Amino acid sequence: MSLKKAVLLIVIILLIDQISKIYIKTHLVLNERAFDYNWFQIVFVENEGMAWGTKVSDFISFISDRTAKLFLTIFRIIAVIGISYWLVTSIKKKGSKILIVAIALIFAGALGNIIDSVFYGVLFNDSYSQVATFLPAEGGYDTIFHGKVVDMLHFPMWKGFLPEWIPFIGGDYFTFFEPVFNVADMAISTGIGMLIVFNKRAFGEKKELAENENQSENV
């Protein structure tokens, strides 16, 4: 897979991700639902931390939420730089198509969420009891690097009380699938899933090619 095709895939995912986020941010109030069809809902929430709403400060208690948020954003930027290097290197070394597509998906998803974290705090005002405005005259809801990630996709496929015989959580009310996520999260999850499920195909073709070249040299 060529670099141009990988870049095209990344651009398409970024456009879908950012258009959906900007639309939700500028049309809904925080926690408002735009669509509710039993097992699928569109609901506007904002994520200040990592996946599942976890914050860095939940693990490192001696730092403030704002410092933790800045640390997380910087970490994401460094990670994206590393992923971009991995992508370019894999293309130059003629890695498998599955590998390159997976890395491109992970890169696009990570970059999509970084855009929120870095810029949304200065591009929008807050969404509490109001619909946010793009580039508000009074300024954004926070400073650069302190933006919140916009999520909107919710798939509560099953809701109910768990059987009493289940250890620790038996009898509790449970929703599957509870997290609210976005297109960028889907891209990251899909890319990681491809690397796990198609591990041999993703990394095996290059190894097999190298073995064939070594055999040819030995003949």
Side-chain angles (χ1 to χ4, degrees):
M1 186 175 184
S2 67
L3 180 60
K4 288 183 178 180
K5 291 182 178 179
V7 170
L8 178 61
L9 176 60
I10 291 169
V11 170
I12 291 173
I13 293 172
L14 280 176
L15 285 175
I16 296 173
D17 177 63
Q18 288 301 307
I19 289 172
S20 62
K21 288 175 177 176
I22 292 172
Y23 180 85
I24 292 295
K25 182 72 176 170
T26 57
H27 286 77
L28 299 181
V29 175
L30 194 63
N31 296 321
E32 181 180 355
R33 298 180 188 275
F35 181 80
D36 190 345
Y37 182 71
N38 196 15
W39 58 270
F40 172 60
Q41 301 171 0
I42 294 178
V43 53
F44 173 29
V45 301
E46 290 183 315
N47 181 4
E48 297 188 47
M50 300 180 288
W52 313 94
T54 307
K55 299 179 181 179
V56 176
S57 53
D58 292 339
F59 303 96
I60 309 176
S61 57
F62 59 83
I63 63 176
S64 67
D65 286 345
R66 288 188 64 79
T67 302
K69 172 65 178 175
L70 179 61
F71 173 81
L72 177 61
T73 301
I74 293 174
F75 173 79
R76 282 172 168 166
I77 294 173
I78 295 173
V80 162
I81 293 173
I83 295 169
S84 65
Y85 176 79
W86 184 20
L87 176 61
V88 173
T89 301
S90 298
I91 293 173
K92 287 183 178 179
K93 293 183 177 180
K94 300 186 183 302
S96 67
K97 184 176 181 180
I98 290 178
L99 175 63
I100 295 172
V101 169
I103 299 173
L105 288 172
I106 296 171
F107 176 83
L111 184 58
N113 284 335
I114 282 177
I115 292 174
D116 298 32
S117 298
V118 175
F119 300 111
Y120 274 29
V122 296
L123 293 179
F124 301 96
N125 52 6
D126 68 75
S127 299
Y128 296 103
S129 302
Q130 66 176 5
V131 174
T133 302
F134 181 67
L135 295 177
E138 68 275 13
Y141 63 81
D142 213 323
T143 57
I144 195 167
F145 293 112
H146 286 94
K148 301 174 184 177
V149 177
V150 175
D151 295 323
M152 78 291 292
L153 303 175
H154 189 208
F155 290 85
M157 299 180 183
W158 183 85
K159 296 180 180 179
F161 290 94
L162 296 173
E164 295 288 347
W165 54 265
I166 299 178
F168 305 111
I169 59 175
D172 292 345
Y173 190 80
F174 180 77
T175 301
F176 180 86
F177 180 72
E178 182 63 28
V180 182
F181 53 97
N182 55 45
V183 174
D185 296 332
M186 290 177 61
I188 295 172
S189 299
T190 302
I192 294 174
M194 289 175 64
L195 293 180
I196 294 174
V197 176
F198 303 108
N199 183 273
K200 291 184 178 180
R201 291 178 62 185
F203 299 99
E205 291 181 11
K206 180 182 175 182
K207 181 178 180 181
E208 183 179 345
L209 179 61
E211 291 176 350
N212 291 336
E213 289 178 351
N214 290 333
Q215 290 177 359
S216 300
E217 291 175 357
N218 293 331
V219 174

